[in-house]
Amino acid sequence: MIGLGKIVTVLVFPLILSGCVTSAEYSSKQAGFASVADKTAMVTTKQTVWIQNQSQARSAAAQVKSLLAQKKPLGVETAVQIALLNNKGLQAAYADLGDSAADAWQSTMSINPTVSIGTTGIGTPELEAFKTIEGMITTNILALATRNRDIAIADTRFRQAQLTAAVKTLQVAADARRAWIGAVAAWENVGQLQRAQTAADAASELAEKLGETGAMAKGAQAREHVFVAELAGETAKARLAARLAKEELTRLMGLWGSDLEYQVPNGLPPLPKSVVKRDTIEAEALKNRIDLQVAKLELEATARSYGLTEATRYVTDLEILTGFETEREIEDDEKKTETTAQVELEFAIPIFDTGKARMRKAELAYMRAANLLAEKAVNVRSEARSAYEAYRSNYDIARHYRNSVVPLRTKVEEESLLTYNGMISNTFELLTDTRDKINSILLSVNAKRDFWLAEANLAPAIYGGGAATASAETEVAAASEGGGGGGH
């Protein structure tokens, strides 16, 4: 007959060894983060850090200070890098990764036995001889039998947490890029409106002087004055929108205090000479989307849980109890002590719980995960197509404004200036043409902004991280006060 010590050794010893082998990655303070950093660096070409002590915090802060200290307006790549180093919400996501690693680490540890010791007998001096000392060691053999499956489920959840942290990293990078585009375009819009304001002020002053001489009716004067007033209001609104857009960028970069003095450029970069062809963007997205991989792991974890439920559906608790019983007897002033070992097996008899309800819940959880994965795959392909369509179409629209609309408005203004110099047209016709040109330039700025936003949404559509929709009709105010190079 095999002894209890041997039974426990057979069950536990291999698991202890496997736990020692697999727990190393989980127990590290940077558990799983290297994979997150490598995966996201391939997409963003930027560094991200997991800050867990004062030394790391000081190092990251020094890097941020160095990036902000550059004597030029903040570029988009610099803004993204600062966000990845300094965004506190991203650090919280990395803490979630560490929490998942701790759970996986805990699953690799051996099952703790329960020890109990007690005495039985009648507490009278005459019957002292019949006192018995009992001890018992209990271990849950169901937990031991399913331990490998539990470890596999915890490992799947850990890998899922790694991918979730990677998605969060890509999202912060994409959000920072979009916020930079919005802020720069907003200040560029302000600059264009200020130029229009200058032309309107000139027309208003001229109208006032002509009114004083009687050469212009009061109604015509009022039209010029109200245009100036309305334009001043629009300029103030655009400046407010620009400040708010910059604040959004500031939040994503996690800045405060003296760091808020940074400036953004006065205008967005010019359009590229051509667009990038992405004929296989759907296949790229299906292959690379990290959130799709998270959904696959969710299905895998649910399947493992389903298998575990099926394996244990008829058993709710199963324990081996091993112990000893010591009996002491006094006869003719001689004490005799006898110790005997005990081995018992305890389990709950499933009279009422056959496990059908748990199996049904497991089946439904699996079907839910499977359908969510299928839906995610459909959405990923659609999002990839939409992202490229927006990228391609917004490029054509922006190029149309740049190559056709603005040059034509410029030509109209030039011809108006020639006729004005030749005394053919009057001053107000010239100013009207100038204002129309400014309006076309504003439309061109917005079209260029929409293209760069669409370009920023390509990477999230392929790799994950969330893509914000950019509407050509949504006026996110943009870019810098005046045409000078200081930035904002």
Side-chain angles (χ1 to χ4, degrees):
M1 180 176 177
I2 188 169
L4 177 68
K6 293 183 179 179
I7 294 175
V8 174
T9 302
V10 169
L11 286 171
V12 177
F13 187 67
L15 297 174
I16 293 175
L17 289 179
S18 64
C20 292
V21 173
T22 59
S23 63
E25 183 182 8
Y26 306 141
S27 59
S28 168
K29 284 192 174 183
Q30 293 284 322
F33 180 71
S35 175
V36 174
D38 292 343
K39 188 180 290 289
T40 56
M42 292 175 61
V43 182
T44 64
T45 67
K46 300 292 180 296
Q47 173 194 8
T48 185
V49 294
W50 185 3
I51 300 172
Q52 300 185 63
N53 55 51
Q54 288 295 327
S55 176
Q56 292 170 340
R58 285 193 294 268
S59 176
Q63 285 182 271
V64 171
K65 288 284 187 184
S66 176
L67 291 169
L68 289 171
Q70 298 175 5
K71 300 298 182 181
K72 57 182 179 181
L74 188 71
V76 61
E77 301 302 330
T78 303
V80 172
Q81 180 61 85
I82 291 174
L84 293 180
L85 291 173
N86 208 41
N87 186 282
K88 300 305 182 287
L90 189 56
Q91 293 301 314
Y94 295 157
D96 291 340
L97 172 61
D99 189 56
S100 178
D103 289 340
W105 184 15
Q106 182 70 44
S107 72
T108 65
M109 295 182 179
S110 300
I111 308 300
N112 289 324
T114 302
V115 179
S116 61
I117 299 176
T119 63
T120 60
I122 302 174
T124 62
E126 294 81 4
L127 299 175
E128 179 71 24
F130 297 101
K131 280 193 175 180
T132 301
I133 300 174
E134 294 182 351
M136 194 67 65
I137 300 174
T138 306
T139 185
N140 190 318
I141 64 171
L142 180 61
L144 289 173
T146 60
R147 185 165 177 268
N148 284 337
R149 294 191 184 189
D150 289 334
I151 291 174
I153 292 172
D155 180 71
T156 302
R157 293 299 185 192
F158 170 66
R159 288 184 286 126
Q160 199 173 21
Q162 283 182 299
L163 294 177
T164 300
V167 169
K168 179 63 176 178
T169 304
L170 295 181
Q171 182 180 350
V172 168
D175 286 347
R177 188 175 298 274
R178 286 190 288 259
W180 183 91
I181 292 169
V184 173
W187 284 111
E188 189 173 354
N189 237 2
V190 171
Q192 296 298 338
L193 285 171
Q194 286 180 329
R195 293 184 183 93
Q197 186 77 50
T198 301
D201 288 340
S204 180
E205 291 176 7
L206 180 59
E208 186 176 357
K209 291 180 181 178
L210 290 176
E212 291 173 356
T213 63
M216 189 174 191
K218 290 184 178 180
Q221 293 180 56
R223 279 192 292 272
E224 294 301 325
H225 295 330
V226 75
F227 176 76
V228 171
E230 289 174 346
L231 191 58
E234 291 300 316
T235 304
K237 286 172 60 178
R239 188 176 286 109
L240 172 61
R243 292 194 184 107
L244 294 179
K246 186 181 176 185
E247 281 299 329
E248 181 182 358
L249 177 61
T250 298
R251 288 194 297 272
L252 286 165
M253 293 191 297
L255 302 179
W256 66 0
S258 60
D259 294 337
L260 301 181
E261 301 301 321
Y262 73 92
Q263 297 179 337
V264 295
N266 291 327
L268 290 169
L271 294 175
K273 293 182 179 180
S274 62
V275 293
V276 179
K277 290 185 177 181
R278 308 300 288 262
D279 296 333
T280 61
I281 190 169
E282 291 181 55
E284 290 181 68
L286 288 175
K287 178 182 177 182
N288 296 305
R289 275 286 285 263
I290 299 177
D291 51 345
L292 186 60
Q293 296 173 33
V294 172
K296 290 178 181 178
L297 284 177
E298 179 64 30
L299 182 62
E300 179 183 330
T302 306
R304 291 181 184 276
S305 298
Y306 176 83
L308 187 58
T309 302
E310 186 176 29
T312 60
R313 61 179 295 189
Y314 295 112
V315 182
T316 57
D317 197 14
L318 184 64
E319 293 183 338
I320 282 183
L321 292 85
T322 179
F324 58 88
E325 181 179 7
T326 301
E327 184 175 331
R328 186 176 58 183
E329 180 179 344
I330 302 176
E331 184 177 349
D332 297 331
D333 295 330
E334 291 186 11
K335 294 183 180 180
K336 295 181 180 180
T337 302
E338 184 179 354
T339 301
T340 58
Q342 292 182 328
V343 178
E344 299 177 14
L345 181 64
E346 283 189 358
F347 64 92
I349 301 174
I351 297 175
F352 306 107
D353 184 5
T354 61
K356 288 184 178 180
R358 285 180 287 137
M359 283 298 297
R360 180 59 176 160
K361 287 180 66 68
E363 290 170 3
L364 291 173
Y366 180 82
M367 292 305 300
R368 182 188 301 112
N371 281 295
L372 288 175
L373 175 59
E375 181 190 34
K376 173 63 71 174
V378 171
N379 292 345
V380 162
R381 294 187 67 178
S382 177
E383 289 167 11
R385 290 194 302 270
S386 297
Y388 184 72
E389 182 64 29
Y391 168 74
R392 189 69 183 83
S393 298
N394 277 300
Y395 178 78
D396 291 338
I397 294 169
R399 189 175 59 173
H400 171 71
Y401 275 100
R402 183 194 66 183
N403 296 345
S404 299
V405 177
V406 173
L408 285 173
R409 281 296 181 188
T410 302
K411 184 66 175 178
V412 169
E413 182 189 39
E414 291 172 351
E415 291 298 323
S416 180
L417 181 60
L418 289 175
T419 57
Y420 172 77
N421 291 335
M423 306 296 289
I424 300 174
S425 62
N426 59 42
T427 304
F428 296 108
E429 290 177 347
L430 174 61
L431 292 174
T432 298
D433 291 335
T434 301
R435 288 197 297 266
D436 289 341
K437 176 189 174 184
I438 293 295
N439 289 334
S440 295
I441 292 175
L442 289 176
L443 292 174
S444 179
V445 169
N446 289 337
K448 183 172 61 171
R449 173 208 66 207
D450 290 340
F451 164 75
W452 285 115
L453 286 174
E455 194 269 346
N457 288 336
L458 277 181
I462 296 173
Y463 298 99
T469 55
S471 171
E473 299 175 359
T474 304
E475 293 190 1
V476 178
S480 84
E481 203 165 5
H488 297 271

